[in-house]
Amino acid sequence: MQRSTADTRDYRTSQLGVLESESIHIIREVAAEFERPVLLFSGGKDSIVMLRLAEKAFWPAPIPFPVMHVDTGHNFPEVIEYRDRRVAELGVRLVVASVQESIDKGRVVEETGRRASRNRLQTTTLLDAIEEHRFDAAFGGARRDEEKARAKERVVSFRDDFGQWDPKNQRPELWSLYNTRIRQGEHVRVFPLSNWTELDIWDYLRLEGLEIPSIYFAHTRTVFERDGMLLADSPYSNRGDDEPAFEAMVRYRTVGDMSCTGAVESTATGLDEVIAEIAATRVTERGQTRADDRTSEAAMEDRKREGYF
């Protein structure tokens, strides 16, 4: 049968299709090679995309591993509500690792002062949870455009039995071949979104029609300015008398603690408007919105050596 010359269908794979296929391959490979993987899920946009990719990777079967949230206790309520509802919809098991419990047990000491944050305390809580549940692979949502140390970690980031990362021990990755060999007590962090950018994430959210927490869209919130950033006026922010609160139309580019995650002034109330803003910005997500991540690349690498995300 002769093919019609009027057939103009395009069989080429889109950029998002290539990224999706690569990420799904990584998730399936890790699920096949490791005994007890877990997906780190915060309710933020990157972990929402990862959860969607995991759902697609095993459909129509359920996701064969749990999701874990390292809960600092200082999260935005809208994000926690979304987290609980989303995991219930998918029927996956949620493991909550509590920073407050780590503080109560004396595992970590809470910071004090105006700029106190629980962000660094998450490392101990995460490592304790990995040891308790004997997880040997943890999926993380890090992207290639976040910070330069990501290039050294590659897709599969090896962690020793102390949870530490040493770039000298990082395995080579040839094409899509990943070295997944570990000994008892060791684990790996796996980054299926290693070749994605923030704009790719937003484009994929629009393509898939995925719901995200409402704080990602413009809304009126009481905030105050600190170090050029707009922080939410909350019980966790330690606002000083010289930091007056005021109402502003803002949205968030990332999800983190209320004490250290900055909002950006915006009127973007829908995905199309948000994507247009991201496409035009020249400031990185972390540089603009994470007070505790405004540090040098060398300092970020040191934090990873300590077991940080």
Side-chain angles (χ1 to χ4, degrees):
M1 180 176 175
Q2 187 177 4
R3 180 179 295 178
S4 170
T5 57
D7 186 354
T8 59
R9 287 175 290 182
D10 189 350
Y11 293 96
R12 292 174 296 180
T13 305
S14 67
Q15 176 194 0
L16 285 180
V18 171
L19 291 172
E20 179 189 67
S21 296
E22 178 188 50
S23 298
I24 287 176
H25 166 72
I26 293 167
I27 292 171
R28 287 173 174 167
E29 184 78 5
V30 169
E33 292 289 337
F34 291 91
E35 294 184 3
R36 302 177 70 89
V38 65
L39 189 149
L40 301 177
F41 184 74
S42 66
K45 63 184 185 306
D46 298 324
S47 59
I48 290 171
V49 167
M50 273 208 307
L51 194 60
R52 177 61 166 170
L53 294 168
E55 181 186 7
K56 282 191 168 187
F58 305 104
W59 182 264
I63 297 173
F65 42 75
V67 301
M68 179 167 67
H69 182 207
V70 181
D71 185 0
T72 64
H74 292 177
N75 302 280
F76 289 90
E78 300 94 326
V79 177
I80 297 300
E81 184 276 330
Y82 174 88
R83 178 202 70 184
D84 294 340
R85 179 161 45 84
R86 182 62 177 140
V87 297
E89 289 172 355
L90 292 176
V92 295
R93 181 166 69 95
L94 172 65
V95 176
V96 177
S98 170
V99 171
Q100 183 61 55
E101 288 186 9
S102 297
I103 295 172
D104 294 342
K105 293 177 180 177
R107 293 284 294 147
V108 293
V109 178
E110 181 145 31
E111 296 179 5
T112 59
R114 177 177 293 193
R115 288 173 172 77
S117 167
R118 288 186 172 183
N119 192 28
R120 284 183 177 271
L121 307 186
Q122 294 180 82
T123 300
T124 299
T125 305
L126 172 63
L127 294 177
D128 286 350
I130 288 175
E131 182 178 6
E132 177 186 352
H133 297 277
R134 295 185 291 114
F135 293 132
D136 51 7
F139 292 104
R143 307 184 315 268
R144 68 179 174 89
D145 61 342
E146 289 186 306
E147 36 88 12
K148 294 179 181 178
R150 280 288 302 112
K152 293 182 180 180
E153 285 187 284
R154 303 185 180 95
V155 173
V156 177
S157 176
F158 171 75
R159 306 297 170 106
D160 64 19
D161 49 1
F162 294 102
Q164 297 174 322
W165 172 71
D166 185 347
K168 294 180 180 179
N169 292 332
Q170 183 64 47
R171 286 83 175 268
E173 292 178 353
L174 306 176
W175 302 285
S176 58
L177 301 176
Y178 308 108
N179 187 336
T180 58
R181 293 176 299 175
I182 59 171
R183 295 176 295 186
Q184 186 173 1
E186 300 171 341
H187 74 279
V188 298
R189 310 283 173 85
V190 184
F191 304 109
L193 306 180
S194 285
N195 287 325
W196 296 57
T197 66
E198 183 185 5
L199 187 56
D200 291 328
I201 294 293
W202 283 104
D203 283 337
Y204 191 78
L205 291 169
R206 177 171 60 181
L207 178 68
E208 293 291 307
L210 294 174
E211 180 190 358
I212 57 177
S214 59
I215 67 171
Y216 279 114
F217 300 111
H219 59 284
T220 301
R221 183 178 291 267
T222 303
V223 297
F224 64 96
E225 185 173 352
R226 176 183 292 166
D227 299 331
M229 301 177 65
L230 298 178
L231 299 177
D233 186 25
S234 76
Y236 316 118
S237 301
N238 299 321
R239 180 172 61 86
D241 294 336
D242 57 340
E243 298 173 319
F246 58 93
E247 285 194 346
M249 182 71 74
V250 300
R251 68 173 186 86
Y252 289 85
R253 288 180 66 181
T254 187
V255 162
D257 281 3
M258 298 182 76
S259 62
C260 59
T261 304
V264 295
E265 292 188 275
S266 173
T267 58
T269 56
L271 278 174
D272 290 338
E273 294 95 330
V274 170
I275 290 172
E277 281 189 0
I278 298 299
T281 189
R282 293 296 178 266
V283 182
T284 64
E285 173 187 329
R286 287 184 177 270
Q288 187 175 26
T289 63
R290 294 296 293 271
D292 51 350
D293 282 341
R294 285 183 167 182
T295 184
S296 68
E297 299 295 343
M300 284 298 294
E301 186 166 320
D302 287 341
R303 293 173 69 179
K304 290 179 183 295
R305 291 174 187 266
E306 297 169 0
Y308 184 73
F309 290 101

